[in-house]
């Protein structure tokens, strides 16, 4: 029993660390737009700026739609809420983690718009954090929802 409690606490600490890193990276994106400047990867042009703007716009729309679809199920942690249910409507009908992917789209858009080493680091780090969170969350969802595997088979991404 003690080991079970210790493993539970260890998992929760890891999840908390992932969430802290996630929000830190997102805040650094915002601060980067306002305060920081770093060396450019290469010279930007109107096409890259346009792609960046388009990705940011699509990401923001995806985030808003994901928030609406999740309703009361929303949580920064990969653990599903106790009284939650499997969301299979809206964007979740096609993509299993649209909130994470939308955030990555915004980050990629920011990278295309501001081609700096710092933005490259932020985007790469965010992808790594979300990959880890998705892996943890997938395990929880498989255990909690018996129909999760069937749901996953019908997804595009």
């Amino acid at each position: 029993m003690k080991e079970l409690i210790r493993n539970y606490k260890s998992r929760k600490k890891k999840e908390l660390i992932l969430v802290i890193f996630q929000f830190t990276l997102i805040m650094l994106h915002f601060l980067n737009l306002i305060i920081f400047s770093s060396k450019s990867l290469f010279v930007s042009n109107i096409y890259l700026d346009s792609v960046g703007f388009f990705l940011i716009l699509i990401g923001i729309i995806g985030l808003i739609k994901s928030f609406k679809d999740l309703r009361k199920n929303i949580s920064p942690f990969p653990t599903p809420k106790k009284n939650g249910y499997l969301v299979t409507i809206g964007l979740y009908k096609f993509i299993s983690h649209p909130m994470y992917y939308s955030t990555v789209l915004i980050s990629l858009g920011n990278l295309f718009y501001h081609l700096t080493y710092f933005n490259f680091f932020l985007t790469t780090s965010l992808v790594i954090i979300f990959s880890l969170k998705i892996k943890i969350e997938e395990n929880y969802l498989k255990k909690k929802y018996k129909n999760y595997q069937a749901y996953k088979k019908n997804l595009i991404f």
Side-chain angles (χ1 to χ4, degrees):
M1 183 66 165
K2 286 182 183 181
E3 187 167 327
L4 183 67
I5 292 171
R6 194 173 325 122
N7 286 338
Y8 177 79
K9 286 181 180 179
S10 175
R11 275 195 326 261
K12 292 300 171 190
K13 280 183 187 177
K14 289 176 188 174
E15 290 175 19
L16 181 61
I17 289 169
L18 282 174
V19 170
I20 289 170
F21 276 129
Q22 168 190 332
F23 283 111
T24 302
L25 290 169
I26 291 168
M27 288 308 301
L28 285 172
H29 271 88
F30 286 116
L31 288 175
N32 186 33
L33 293 174
I34 300 167
I35 300 171
F36 302 132
S37 65
S38 67
K39 189 172 177 156
S40 292
L41 292 167
F42 52 88
V43 178
S44 183
N45 61 47
I46 188 70
Y47 301 110
L48 288 174
D49 290 350
S50 298
V51 169
F53 178 77
F54 180 71
L55 289 174
I56 291 169
L57 184 64
I58 296 297
I60 289 170
I61 291 168
L63 267 179
I64 292 168
K65 180 70 174 128
S66 297
F67 274 103
K68 285 184 174 183
D69 293 342
L70 275 178
R71 295 183 194 134
K72 293 181 182 181
N73 284 317
I74 198 161
S75 169
F77 295 96
T79 311
K81 289 192 169 187
K82 286 185 180 184
N83 57 351
Y85 56 91
L86 183 61
V87 177
T88 59
I89 60 168
L91 290 177
Y92 289 89
K93 191 175 191 176
F94 308 103
I95 305 170
S96 60
H97 301 282
M99 193 172 295
Y100 297 149
Y101 296 128
S102 295
T103 305
V104 169
L105 280 178
I106 294 169
S107 183
L108 277 172
N110 191 36
L111 174 61
F112 278 107
Y113 202 79
H114 304 281
L115 292 165
T116 65
Y117 289 105
F118 188 63
N119 280 328
F120 179 75
F121 166 76
L122 290 176
T123 300
T124 305
S125 300
L126 199 59
V127 168
I128 292 168
I129 293 295
F130 283 149
S131 297
L132 293 170
K133 278 185 73 177
I134 286 171
K135 187 176 180 180
I136 293 167
E137 191 171 322
E138 291 280 322
N139 288 330
Y140 284 129
L141 294 171
K142 285 177 194 174
K143 288 177 186 174
K144 182 167 181 167
Y145 305 111
K146 302 300 180 210
N147 59 339
Y148 188 72
Q149 293 290 61
Y151 160 74
K152 286 286 286 186
K153 287 181 184 177
N154 295 324
L155 298 176
I156 297 170
F157 191 60

